[in-house]
Amino acid sequence: MSKPAIRTTCPYCGVGCGLRVHASGARSLELAGDTAHPANRGLLCSKGTALGETVGLDNRLLYPEIGGERASWDMALDRVAERFSDIVARHGPDAVAFYVSGQLLTEDYYVANKLMKGFIGSGNIDTNSRLCMSSTVAGHKRAFGADAVPGNYEDWELADLVVLVGSNTAWCHPVLYRRLLAAREKRGTRIVVIDPRRTATCDEADLHLALKPGSDVRLFNALLVHLAANDHADEEFVGAATEGLDATLAAACADGSALEAVARDCGLDAADLETFFSWFAGTERTLTVFSQGVNQSSQGVDKVNAIINCHLLTGRIGRPGMGPFSVTGQPNAMGGREVGGLANQLAAHMEFTAEHRDIVARFWRARRMAPHGGLTAVDMFRAVGEGRIKAIWIAATNPAVSLPDASRVREALARCEFIVVSDCIAGTDTGRYAHVALPAAAWGEKDGTVTNSERRISRQRAFLPPPGEARPDWWMFTQVAQRMGFADAFPYTAPAQIFREHAALSAFENHGSRIFDIGGLANIPDSDYDALKPVQWPVTPARREGTARLFTDRWFTTEDGRARFVAVHAGRPANLPTERFPLALNTGRLRDQWHTMTRTGLAPTLARHSPEPAVDLHPDDIAANGLADDGFARVVTRFGQGTFRVRATQNQRAGTAFLPIHWSDTGAADAVTGRLVNPVIDPISKQPEFKHTPARVEPVVMAWRGFALSRTAPVPPAGCYWAAVALKGGYLYEIAGETGVEPPSPSSLFGEPAATGEILEMHDARRGNRRFARIDDERLTHCLMIAAQGRLPPRAWLAGLLAADRLGPAERQMLLAGAPSEG
Ligand code: SF4
C-alpha cells in the first residue's frame, strides 16, 4: 500500500470490526482487518473481506429526483421542507414521520431525531433497529434501569461457559464466534446453543438444546428455580444489589419446575436439560449471549428478563467472563439507541418523562418538543396506510421488504401523500414509492461514528469521494431543518460538530443519573475527532479511557441503585400452528448476505454460498407435503406467500420451516419473506415476531428449468420463477416455469444483439430444450440454457467464461454443451 491506509469500521453487523482500507483508481480497494481494533484484532468474516466488491456504482442513486425525474438538490430539499411544513401546519406534527436505520451513523441519527422530536414536535421517528433489538432495550431498562450491555467482547474469551440463545453466532457474528473458538482452544470453554434450529453454531457446541419455538421463558424460569433450590444463589449480591426475587421466583414456580415437565414443555430431552442446568449452576464464569431468536418474539422482553434473572440470582454480572450479553444485528443499532432513534425514547438515553423532556428541550432550545413517544415501526406503517401519517421520510432502509406483512406496507406506501426516500441505492422495492429520492453517500464516503454491541464507539472514515451528487444523511436532515425555519438550531457543517453536541447532551445535567455519558468527548477538537480511537462508553472527563464493564460496583441506574428481578410467566406461546397452517415459520440471516442484499448482493464471492432463496424443511415435512428436495414450494401464511427452492435438512425440527430474510423484488420473482411474516408485536417493546408465523407449504411443479448468464443485468422474465445473483463479470439468473408458462426468449431477456454479435443456438422445440450463446468481440456476453427434459449443464464452467476476456476455439466449440471437452 503506497498511501497510509484509512482506519474505519465494517458497515455490516454489530460486532463492529475495524478495517484498514486503501482506495485506488476506479473505486478499487485493498482492505484488511485492523489488528489494532479491539473488536476484531485483525479478523474479518466473509462479508467484511468482500467489501471491496460492493463499492461499484452499478446500482447507485446519484442525483436527487422528484417524481422519478432528476432535480437539483435545492429543488428536492425545498420540496421536502415545503411538504413536511405544510402537512404539519394542516394536520399537526403527528401527521409526519421518519423511519430510519441502524445503518445510519450516530451523527445522522442525532440530527434526524432532533428535528423530529425537538422542532417538528412529534415522537414519530423510529428505526429498523426496532426489528432487531428493541426487546433487549426494554429488558435492560426493566432490570438495570438503563439500556446497557454490562460486559465486553473480552468476556467471551474469559468465560468458562458460553450459552448462545437464539443466536446463530457462527453466521451472524462470525468474528466474535472465531474469538470464542480461539479462546476455547486455550481454556476449554463449554458452549451450549439454545435454538430450535440446528445451525452452523451447533457444530462446535458441547450441547445443543433444540427447544420448541417460544418455550425460552419456560426454560429459563425453570433454571432460575433450579439455581435457587440448589443453593446457587449469591445471597450477598441478591441482598445488597437487587429487588424482587420473591415475586419472580413465585412466578417461575407457578409454571411447575419438575425437570420432566419442563423438558416436555420445551420439547427437550430431560437428561440434556439436567446437564445444562448443572453446567450453568456450577460455572461461575458464565456468559449468556442472546440475539434475534430472543428479541424477535411477541414475548421478547420477557425472554430477555428471564435470562437476566438467572444472572442476577447468581451475582454473575459486572465481572470478567460473565453476564447477560445482547449482540445487535446492525452496525449502529447501539448508536441509534444512544441518540433516541427509537420512537419511545428521547436523546441520550432519556425518556419521555417531564424531567427529561425539560432537560432536552432546554439543551436544544427546542421550538416544539414532542409531548410523548411516537409510533413504532409496525404501527407507524399501519398509520401510513390509514392516512393518519401523511408524509414519511425513509432513510437507509427498505421496509417494503424487511417489515412484517410487507404487502400491507406496500399498500400503505402506495396510498401515502408524500414519501421521501434517502438511500445510496437506486430502485429498491421501497424507493419505487418515493415522491422525492435523495442520493445518500455510502459506506466509505462518509464520516462519523458507530457503536458496536460492547458499547464501543468507533469512527467510520471516508476514503472514497461521494459519486454524482450523493451527500451524507446528516447534511440532508440539516438542510431540510434549515428550510423549515430552524436554521439557528441546525448550523451543522461537519459531523464533528454534531458529535460534540451529542456528547454534551449526554452529560448535560446528568450528575451520574444516566449511565450513557460521553461528556469526556464533548469538547474534543476536530483533530481529536478525526483521530478518535475506539472507546467504550461511558467516557467522562474523569474516565477518558472509557469503561470496560458496567455495574462493577453493583450500583444500577434504578432509583434506589438496585437491579430488578422481573417476574415473567411462560404462558402459552402465541401464534401456534393450526390445521390450516401446521408449520412454525422461522426467518433469519444467511452467512454471506446482509439485509435486503442491496450491497452484499453485488459481491460475486458472497453469492456462492446461497445463490437462491430456499426454504429449509425437515425431510419428513418434505415427504408429507409432496415436495422434493431441490424442487420448488409455495410457502403460504395468513399474510402472504412466496415461491422458494426446497432444501431438505435434518437441522430443521420437524414441523418447522426456515426462510432467509434477504430477497427483494429486485433479486427474485416472488421471495420476499417479509410478506409472509405475522405483524404481531411484543406488547412492551413493540418488536415484531419474525421467528414464529404459522405456515403451510405446497408443491410447485415446474414444467421447465433453466438459467441465464449475462454480462449486463437481464430483464427479469415475467410470470416465471427467477432468482438473480452477481457473478464475476455479470449475472446468473436461475429460472423455471410451471405448465402453461413459456420460457423466456433470448431477446426478451437480453435485448436485441449488437450488429457485430454472433449467435450460437440449438432449439429442440419438441423436447422443450434450448441452448443459446451470444458472442461479441470474441467474448461470451450472454447465455441461456432451458431444459424441459433432461439435465441442464453445470453453471461453473460457463460462468467462468463470462468473466474471460476472450474465448479460445475449444471453449467456443463447447459452448452449447456447457462443459469443456475432455480431449
Ligand atoms: Fe463485518 Fe460483522 Fe463480519 Fe466483522 S463480523 S467483518 S463487523 S460483518
Side-chain angles (χ1 to χ4, degrees):
M1 294 189 184
S2 46
K3 282 194 284 181
I6 302 290
R7 288 196 145 111
T8 188
T9 47
C10 173
Y12 293 129
C13 82
V15 179
C17 295
L19 294 159
R20 293 165 64 92
V21 185
H22 185 261
S24 63
R27 300 178 74 86
S28 149
L29 303 186
E30 288 173 54
L31 60 82
D34 184 351
T35 50
H37 197 290
N40 59 317
R41 300 176 191 148
L43 299 174
L44 288 181
C45 76
S46 53
K47 289 190 286 286
T49 306
L51 270 164
E53 296 176 36
T54 68
V55 295
L57 299 182
D58 276 357
N59 63 349
R60 287 294 297 271
L61 179 63
L62 297 174
Y63 303 98
E65 291 175 4
I66 299 176
E69 300 292 326
R70 183 170 168 180
S72 69
W73 267 111
D74 275 338
M75 285 167 66
L77 294 166
D78 284 347
R79 177 70 60 90
V80 176
E82 279 162 23
R83 296 292 279 127
F84 268 73
S85 298
D86 175 54
I87 288 170
V88 170
R90 284 190 291 126
H91 302 283
D94 287 338
V96 299
F98 295 162
Y99 185 61
V100 296
S101 164
Q103 303 284 301
L104 292 180
L105 305 186
T106 301
E107 292 75 1
D108 302 321
Y109 252 133
Y110 180 86
V111 181
N113 184 57
K114 179 177 176 181
L115 173 58
M116 181 55 77
K117 290 190 182 137
F119 290 81
I120 290 176
S122 171
N124 283 348
I125 171 169
D126 209 38
T127 159
N128 63 6
S129 300
R130 175 75 55 194
L131 320 180
C132 165
M133 41 25 66
S134 52
S135 294
T136 289
V137 174
H140 281 164
K141 286 206 244 181
R142 291 206 299 189
F144 310 142
D147 172 26
V149 174
N152 61 34
Y153 295 163
E154 221 175 41
D155 292 328
W156 292 55
E157 295 163 333
L158 298 175
D160 293 315
L161 171 66
V162 174
V163 185
L164 301 163
V165 193
S167 168
N168 184 3
T169 321
W171 280 16
C172 299
H173 299 91
V175 163
L176 274 177
Y177 188 64
R178 279 166 64 188
R179 282 181 65 169
L180 170 61
L181 295 189
R184 177 202 225 188
E185 287 292 304
K186 293 187 193 139
R187 64 187 299 129
T189 318
R190 275 199 179 118
I191 300 174
V192 175
V193 175
I194 301 178
D195 195 321
R197 292 170 70 209
R198 184 179 168 78
T199 63
T201 306
C202 301
D203 293 349
E204 296 290 334
D206 297 283
L207 180 64
H208 171 213
L209 299 180
L211 81 176
K212 273 189 202 162
S215 60
D216 315 48
V217 172
R218 180 85 173 103
L219 177 69
F220 280 94
N221 268 357
L223 174 61
L224 187 80
V225 175
H226 173 88
L227 295 168
N230 292 282
D231 291 334
H232 294 291
D234 182 336
E235 305 282 358
E236 200 264 319
F237 177 87
V238 169
T242 70
E243 276 293 336
L245 175 60
D246 292 347
T248 303
L249 267 178
C253 287
D255 296 319
S257 53
L259 196 71
E260 286 71 23
V262 177
R264 187 193 58 231
D265 291 352
C266 297
L268 297 171
D269 185 90
D272 286 348
L273 195 61
E274 192 171 19
T275 301
F276 169 55
F277 283 6
S278 73
W279 285 356
F280 195 106
T283 313
E284 177 73 352
R285 288 190 170 207
T286 293
L287 188 78
T288 308
V289 175
F290 51 97
S291 186
Q292 315 309 31
V294 168
N295 287 327
Q296 291 182 330
S297 160
S298 55
Q299 256 198 309
V301 185
D302 283 354
K303 288 181 185 179
V304 170
N305 286 110
I307 291 168
I308 294 174
N309 285 340
C310 295
H311 279 271
L312 291 178
L313 183 74
T314 48
R316 294 176 190 159
I317 191 163
R319 288 183 285 146
M322 61 185 78
F325 201 114
S326 144
V327 275
T328 60
Q330 298 202 78
N332 198 27
M334 274 280 217
R337 284 143 80 166
E338 289 154 19
V339 300
L342 293 166
N344 54 316
Q345 295 180 179
L346 278 176
H349 277 204
M350 282 185 266
E351 306 291 333
F352 274 97
T353 59
E355 182 197 353
H356 284 175
R357 278 187 70 244
D358 177 59
I359 291 173
V360 177
R362 280 187 288 108
F363 182 85
W364 279 344
R365 294 197 179 89
R367 293 262 194 96
R368 191 175 191 172
M369 197 66 202
H372 48 70
L375 292 173
T376 55
V378 170
D379 290 340
M380 181 181 280
F381 282 88
R382 208 167 269 151
V384 170
E386 291 166 3
R388 287 180 284 132
I389 289 176
K390 297 172 193 310
I392 187 164
W393 183 339
I394 299 165
T397 183
N398 200 356
V401 179
S402 53
L403 274 178
D405 201 6
S407 301
R408 297 297 95 69
V409 171
R410 290 168 191 235
E411 286 167 20
L413 291 172
R415 279 200 287 268
C416 188
E417 220 175 291
F418 186 61
I419 299 172
V420 181
V421 174
S422 49
D423 206 317
C424 52
I425 306 293
T428 65
D429 289 20
T430 301
R432 292 173 194 168
Y433 295 92
H435 298 103
V436 175
L438 303 175
W443 176 77
E445 298 159 6
K446 56 195 260 184
D447 265 306
T449 53
V450 290
T451 308
N452 72 2
S453 298
E454 57 167 354
R455 293 173 283 106
R456 192 178 296 281
I457 299 168
S458 296
R459 288 276 281 112
Q460 265 199 19
R461 297 184 175 89
F463 49 84
L464 288 169
E469 294 181 4
R471 297 281 183 275
D473 294 87
W474 65 262
W475 180 86
M476 298 179 210
F477 284 108
T478 297
Q479 291 294 314
V480 169
Q482 292 178 358
R483 284 164 162 82
M484 290 179 80
F486 313 128
D488 52 341
F490 291 83
Y492 314 119
T493 54
Q497 231 179 328
I498 304 165
F499 182 81
R500 284 190 288 266
E501 185 178 310
H502 161 53
L505 174 56
S506 75
F508 185 61
E509 298 181 8
N510 187 332
H511 315 302
S513 63
R514 307 188 304 268
I515 202 162
F516 177 70
D517 183 346
I518 54 169
L521 301 170
N523 297 310
I524 54 172
D526 288 1
S527 55
D528 286 8
Y529 176 77
D530 286 344
L532 187 69
K533 289 198 173 138
V535 62
Q536 283 180 281
W537 62 258
V539 188
T540 60
R543 197 187 275 235
R544 287 184 190 279
E545 74 286 4
T547 311
R549 284 186 192 84
L550 302 178
F551 315 132
T552 51
D553 56 0
R554 301 175 168 196
W555 185 259
F556 295 85
T557 25
T558 53
E559 268 181 16
D560 56 9
R562 289 167 174 266
R564 296 288 189 271
F565 285 96
V566 180
V568 289
H569 293 274
R572 188 176 144 79
N575 307 311
L576 289 174
T578 62
E579 205 176 319
R580 217 169 133 229
F581 298 108
L583 300 173
L585 173 64
N586 184 1
T587 70
R589 286 182 179 157
L590 297 174
R591 189 190 73 188
D592 286 357
Q593 293 299 344
W594 176 255
H595 281 197
T596 60
M597 291 169 73
T598 49
R599 277 187 304 207
T600 46
L602 304 173
T605 315
L606 299 179
R608 287 188 215 129
H609 179 248
S610 256
E612 273 186 272
V615 55
D616 286 355
L617 290 162
H618 189 276
D620 290 353
D621 290 319
I622 289 182
N625 288 283
L627 307 175
D629 186 20
D630 202 37
F632 294 87
R634 192 157 288 125
V635 184
V636 186
T637 72
R638 253 185 343 110
F639 307 94
Q641 61 181 42
T643 307
F644 299 86
R645 186 75 78 161
V646 174
R647 194 159 53 198
T649 168
Q650 297 281 354
N651 295 342
Q652 208 59 37
R653 268 182 85 102
T656 68
F658 177 83
L659 283 177
I661 59 170
H662 305 293
W663 272 268
S664 68
D665 284 350
T666 58
D670 181 25
V672 175
T673 293
R675 288 186 192 271
L676 282 75
V677 174
N678 191 344
V680 68
I681 53 179
D682 181 286
I684 301 164
S685 69
K686 315 290 185 194
Q687 178 156 358
E689 179 154 68
F690 281 92
K691 299 294 183 189
H692 201 243
T693 302
R696 69 168 180 267
V697 285
E698 299 167 351
V700 176
V701 180
M702 296 299 183
W704 53 266
R705 295 186 188 190
F707 66 89
L709 291 160
S710 175
R711 285 185 183 249
T712 52
V715 177
C720 308
Y721 167 92
W722 62 267
V725 290
L727 291 175
K728 192 155 184 268
Y731 301 86
L732 166 66
Y733 275 53
E734 293 289 341
I735 48 182
E738 296 176 66
T739 304
V741 177
E742 285 297 309
S745 66
S747 59
S748 72
L749 281 176
F750 310 131
E752 294 305 323
T756 53
E758 181 186 344
I759 286 172
L760 308 178
E761 187 163 21
M762 186 280 292
H763 193 178
D764 178 351
R766 192 177 58 80
R767 290 165 61 90
N769 293 345
R770 178 173 213 157
R771 294 190 176 199
F772 169 95
R774 193 187 286 173
I775 300 166
D776 202 5
D777 201 16
E778 303 290 315
R779 301 176 312 158
L780 175 67
T781 58
H782 304 88
C783 169
L784 175 64
M785 301 278 164
I786 303 277
Q789 293 176 31
R791 294 160 69 92
L792 288 162
R795 282 69 169 159
W797 184 70
L798 287 166
L801 296 186
L802 196 70
D805 286 340
R806 197 167 180 281
L807 289 175
E811 293 162 338
R812 194 184 179 94
Q813 198 172 24
M814 298 306 292
L815 270 183
L816 295 189
S821 154
E822 291 179 1

